[in-house]
């Protein structure tokens, strides 16, 4: 990153003069102002007032780039766990953290996003829940300007690390447990968003299982929406033996629909969110430790900031049956 010292050297003036120009001091000649600003523009220098004001005890500043879920009335428990894990680990590493939501930058160009993060003193970024339609973030990754860690996306290069569970195997495992326990033959699978990397991987998992077991598979797109999963369940559940969902929120929608229909079909979810314990029925689910995932992401970002290269990191998961008694302890 270009520093104020670089600007001063290129313009042939003192650092204090550059500072005066940038802060619009009146006692600077027009010629000097023009000379300094020409260098600022040519070098792409971004005044970094935020970074300059950081405590000398801090080792850097990172951004958590998150997606707000607007398709449900339920609180976004997963994002809160991500933030909790990141803040806890950042404190230990003496890193400053800011949270940026994708909606804040979606109308910017790649150059504007880079300038925005540089002006905030950002050295590294953790991207949560990246999808195939996030072209702007892909450009940010390809630029190599920032150290970046992505969760649930297969992006790896010299400056980018991927942190995720094995979504294909996880979906295979939890579906196999539910299907085997209930001796199911016809499976309704409610998938997530069409452009999601995890959607593609989890779909591969259920297809692999059904091919191996010679099960009849019906796939419907649930968009990670509780409402959409409810609608699909009411329409298709009667003609299937089991409902496998690519998220807990969709599993909750499916279970509530089955209760209203007054029919029983085993349902399994994916994620292990606390809300599963309030459904009133015990369902198999795949629990991800989102706090731990975020802590690992911070560790990986720190490693990248020390000059190490990006890599793929696979974290563990567990299969559980969520009960109300477990979540109130």
């Amino acid at each position: 990153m270009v520093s104020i010292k670089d600007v001063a050297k290129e313009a042939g003036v003192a650092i204090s003069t550059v500072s005066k120009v940038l802060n619009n001091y009146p006692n600077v000649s027009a010629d000097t102002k023009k000379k300094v600003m020409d260098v600022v523009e040519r070098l792409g220098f971004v005044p970094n007032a935020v970074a300059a004001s950081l405590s000398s005890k801090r080792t850097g500043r990172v951004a958590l780039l998150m997606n707000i879920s607007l398709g449900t009335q339920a609180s976004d428990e997963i994002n809160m766990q991500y933030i909790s894990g990141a803040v806890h680990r950042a404190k230990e590493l003496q890193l400053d953290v800011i949270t940026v939501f994708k909606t804040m930058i979606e109308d910017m160009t790649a150059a504007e996003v880079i300038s925005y993060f540089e002006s905030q003193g950002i050295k590294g970024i953790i991207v949560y829940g990246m999808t195939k339609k996030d072209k702007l973030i892909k450009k940010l990754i390809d630029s190599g300007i920032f150290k970046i860690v992505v969760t649930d996306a297969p992006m790896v290069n010299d400056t980018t690390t991927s942190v995720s569970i094995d979504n294909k195997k996880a979906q295979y495992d939890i579906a196999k447990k539910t299907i085997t326990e209930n001796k199911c033959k016809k499976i309704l699978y409610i998938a997530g968003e069409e452009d999601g990397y995890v959607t593609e991987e989890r779909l591969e998992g259920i297809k692999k299982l059904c091919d191996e077991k010679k099960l009849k598979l019906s796939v419907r797109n649930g968009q990670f929406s509780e409402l959409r999963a409810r609608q699909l369940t009411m329409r298709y559940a009667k003609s299937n033996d089991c409902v496998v969902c690519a998220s807990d929120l969709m599993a909750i929608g499916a279970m509530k629909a089955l209760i209203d229909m007054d029919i029983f079909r085993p349902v399994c979810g994916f994620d292990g969110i606390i809300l599963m314990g309030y459904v009133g029925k015990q369902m198999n689910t795949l629990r991800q430790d989102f706090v731990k995932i975020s802590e690992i992401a911070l560790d990986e970002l720190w490693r990248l900031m020390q000059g190490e290269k990006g890599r793929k990191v696979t974290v563990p998961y567990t299969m559980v049956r969520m009960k109300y008694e477990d979540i109130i302890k």
Side-chain angles (χ1 to χ4, degrees):
M1 187 186 298
V2 178
S3 69
I4 192 171
K5 183 178 180 180
D6 297 325
V7 174
K9 182 178 180 181
E10 184 73 13
V13 299
I15 293 176
S16 59
T17 301
V18 177
S19 179
K20 288 178 180 179
V21 171
L22 296 175
N23 289 285
N24 295 312
Y25 276 58
N27 58 336
V28 181
S29 70
D31 288 344
T32 300
K33 285 182 180 180
K34 184 179 185 306
K35 181 166 60 174
V36 170
M37 292 310 298
D38 284 347
V39 173
V40 167
E41 184 175 352
R42 186 170 71 252
L43 297 183
F45 173 68
V46 178
N48 200 350
V50 174
S53 67
L54 294 178
S55 166
S56 60
K57 295 181 180 180
R58 293 299 180 181
T59 54
R61 200 167 209 237
V62 301
L64 312 179
L65 185 54
M66 317 198 81
N67 189 32
I68 302 175
S69 178
L70 300 176
T72 176
Q73 295 296 317
S75 60
D76 201 336
E77 178 190 328
I78 294 174
N79 273 346
M80 290 305 298
Q81 290 190 41
Y82 275 146
I83 292 173
S84 175
V87 170
H88 174 262
R89 194 72 186 100
K91 184 178 180 181
E92 294 179 342
L93 294 172
Q94 293 189 318
L95 289 167
D96 280 292
V97 176
I98 67 169
T99 301
V100 178
F101 295 103
K102 290 180 183 177
T103 52
M104 296 167 60
I105 63 170
E106 62 185 4
D107 294 326
M108 297 182 185
T109 64
E112 288 171 337
V113 173
I114 290 169
S115 179
Y116 169 73
F117 280 127
E118 288 181 336
S119 70
Q120 296 293 316
I122 299 301
K123 304 297 184 183
I125 304 168
I126 300 180
V127 181
Y128 296 93
M130 182 178 173
T131 67
K132 295 177 181 178
K133 66 182 179 183
D134 290 324
K135 305 299 184 184
L136 186 60
I137 297 174
K138 181 65 165 57
K139 289 180 180 179
L140 203 63
I141 291 171
D142 290 341
S143 74
I145 293 174
F146 303 100
K147 308 300 183 182
I148 297 178
V149 174
V150 293
T151 66
D152 283 334
M155 305 294 174
V156 177
N157 59 32
D158 285 351
T159 57
T160 307
T161 282
S162 169
V163 176
S164 175
I165 65 169
D166 184 336
N167 279 280
K168 179 179 178 179
K169 185 177 186 302
Q171 186 65 89
Y172 178 99
D173 288 346
I174 193 63
K176 181 179 179 181
K177 177 177 172 61
T178 302
I179 289 167
T180 302
E181 289 175 348
N182 295 276
K183 300 178 180 179
C184 303
K185 298 295 183 182
K186 295 186 290 184
I187 315 303
L188 171 61
Y189 181 70
I190 304 181
E193 295 178 345
E194 292 176 330
D195 54 14
Y197 290 107
V198 296
T199 296
E200 184 178 273
E201 293 167 4
R202 293 173 192 178
L203 185 56
E204 289 177 2
I206 190 68
K207 284 182 175 179
K208 180 175 184 289
L209 174 64
C210 291
D211 286 345
E212 288 180 0
K213 300 295 183 182
K214 295 180 171 53
L215 305 174
K216 182 179 179 181
L217 176 65
S218 176
V219 178
R220 296 291 181 267
N221 187 357
Q223 301 286 343
F224 287 131
S225 163
E226 182 179 353
L227 175 60
R228 177 68 175 154
R230 173 184 171 83
Q231 294 168 340
L232 290 171
T233 301
M234 298 191 82
R235 183 173 180 180
Y236 297 107
K238 285 184 178 179
S239 57
N240 288 277
D241 304 324
C242 177
V243 183
V244 179
C245 298
S247 77
D248 282 347
L249 202 59
M250 293 194 297
I252 291 170
M255 179 58 74
K256 289 296 187 182
L258 291 167
I259 292 172
D260 289 345
M261 295 166 69
D262 197 25
I263 64 173
F264 172 76
R265 297 290 186 275
V267 178
C268 78
F270 198 112
D271 286 330
I273 63 174
I274 292 174
L275 284 175
M276 283 286 274
Y278 291 92
V279 177
K281 298 283 184 179
Q282 291 185 28
M283 290 186 280
N284 290 326
T285 189
L286 196 294
R287 175 179 283 164
Q288 300 190 64
D289 188 340
F290 296 108
V291 172
K292 185 64 176 178
I293 289 172
S294 213
E295 291 176 344
I296 292 172
L298 254 294
D299 287 336
E300 284 299 309
L301 194 57
W302 175 256
R303 194 181 64 83
L304 291 171
M305 291 166 66
Q306 305 311 303
E308 299 292 329
K309 292 187 177 182
R311 61 184 180 178
K312 177 178 174 60
V313 178
T314 302
V315 297
Y317 57 82
T318 55
M319 293 187 291
V320 297
R321 290 179 72 89
M322 302 289 287
K323 294 187 297 182
Y324 176 69
E325 291 78 9
D326 294 332
I327 66 176
I328 61 173
K329 289 181 180 178

